[in-house]
């Protein structure tokens, strides 16, 4: 989570989510009087919902200000609660991060946005990066004994580290109850590029059915928040690679 100020308003809390664009909760956007210009339909784990398309004149994070930022609204129930009881008012996602060499430094508890998108970043692990549509980030990875497959890289997965379609979980030998609802599971070994994590907490039933083949090719899994927590996670949109290191420098 990160604090940000919109159009000079007092700072509010947002969650960082590479599975999202720049999104504001409906009630928060209304309170700030964010102008909107049209309506589309969004598809999330919460199902389909209307999105109002709009614009934020100024987005300020720390000492950095970005102007004229496209935004859209999301339902008010899509919120996270911080340890101090505050609730998030939206998501800062790929449409903001892609303007920079962006590092989500989990151990250092910092978001680092470098304007020099070719700056040197130290990393122990790398993975290829593809940009699909307006915000979907893809890479290559594996789970258990299976061959390499396409993964959707989404940092917004809360306290889990991996989810996947039922076909992947079954092939990987991960037992899933027959009712198809959300169930905690554990993936013995998950890789993303050269990064390897063991005994990764996962959630069966959280991967949207349409997402597996919805883009004309198969997406086999989704590494998320808990997978990345040991790393300073950098998205290099100039070199199209993901860097994972223990230091952000």
């Amino acid at each position: 989570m990160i604090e940000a100020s919109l159009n000079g308003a007092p700072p509010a809390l947002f969650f960082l989510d590479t599975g999202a664009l720049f999104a504001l909760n409906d009630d928060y956007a209304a309170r700030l009087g964010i102008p909107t210009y049209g309506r589309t339909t969004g598809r999330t784990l919460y199902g389909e919902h209307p999105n109002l398309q709009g614009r934020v004149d100024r987005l300020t994070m720390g000492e950095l200000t970005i102007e004229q930022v496209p935004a859209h609204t999301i339902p008010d129930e899509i919120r996270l609660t911080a340890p101090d009881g505050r609730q998030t008012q939206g998501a800062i996602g790929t449409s903001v991060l892609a303007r920079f060499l962006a590092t989500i430094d989990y151990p250092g508890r910092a978001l680092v946005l470098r304007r020099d998108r070719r700056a040197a970043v130290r990393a122990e692990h790398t993975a290829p990066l593809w940009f699909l549509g307006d915000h979907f980030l893809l890479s290559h990875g594996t789970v258990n004994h299976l061959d390499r497959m396409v993964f959707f890289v989404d940092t917004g997965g809360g306290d889990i580290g991996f989810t996947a379609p039922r076909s992947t979980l079954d092939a990987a030998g991960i037992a899933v109850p027959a009712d198809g609802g959300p169930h905690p599971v554990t993936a013995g070994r998950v890789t993303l590029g050269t990064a390897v994590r063991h005994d990764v907490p996962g959630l069966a039933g959280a991967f949207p059915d349409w997402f597996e083949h919805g883009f004309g090719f198969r997406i086999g899994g989704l590494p998320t928040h808990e997978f990345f927590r040991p790393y300073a996670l950098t998205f290099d949109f100039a070199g199209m690679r993901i860097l994972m290191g223990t230091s952000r420098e």
Side-chain angles (χ1 to χ4, degrees), residues 59-154:
L59 167 62
T60 300
M61 298 172 286
E63 298 178 353
L64 176 68
T65 296
I66 312 168
E67 297 184 345
Q68 305 298 316
V69 187
H72 68 87
T73 63
I74 54 176
D76 293 332
E77 61 265 26
I78 302 180
R79 279 194 158 102
L80 301 178
T81 302
D84 62 6
R86 289 184 298 163
Q87 289 192 315
T88 56
Q89 303 299 330
I92 292 175
T94 302
S95 58
V96 174
L97 301 180
R99 297 170 179 240
F100 306 93
L101 180 63
T103 299
I104 303 174
D105 183 352
Y106 286 89
R109 300 178 63 182
L111 173 66
V112 183
L113 301 175
R114 301 172 179 85
R115 292 191 183 275
D116 180 1
R117 302 205 323 165
R118 297 191 179 276
V121 177
R122 182 185 305 162
E124 287 77 28
H125 304 288
T126 64
L129 176 64
W130 295 277
F131 209 142
L132 176 65
D134 55 6
H135 71 283
F136 296 110
L137 302 183
L138 305 179
S139 189
H140 275 156
T142 67
V143 54
N144 291 352
H145 60 276
L146 299 182
D147 291 337
R148 188 179 67 176
M149 65 189 76
V150 175
F151 278 174
F152 172 38
V153 180
D154 179 359

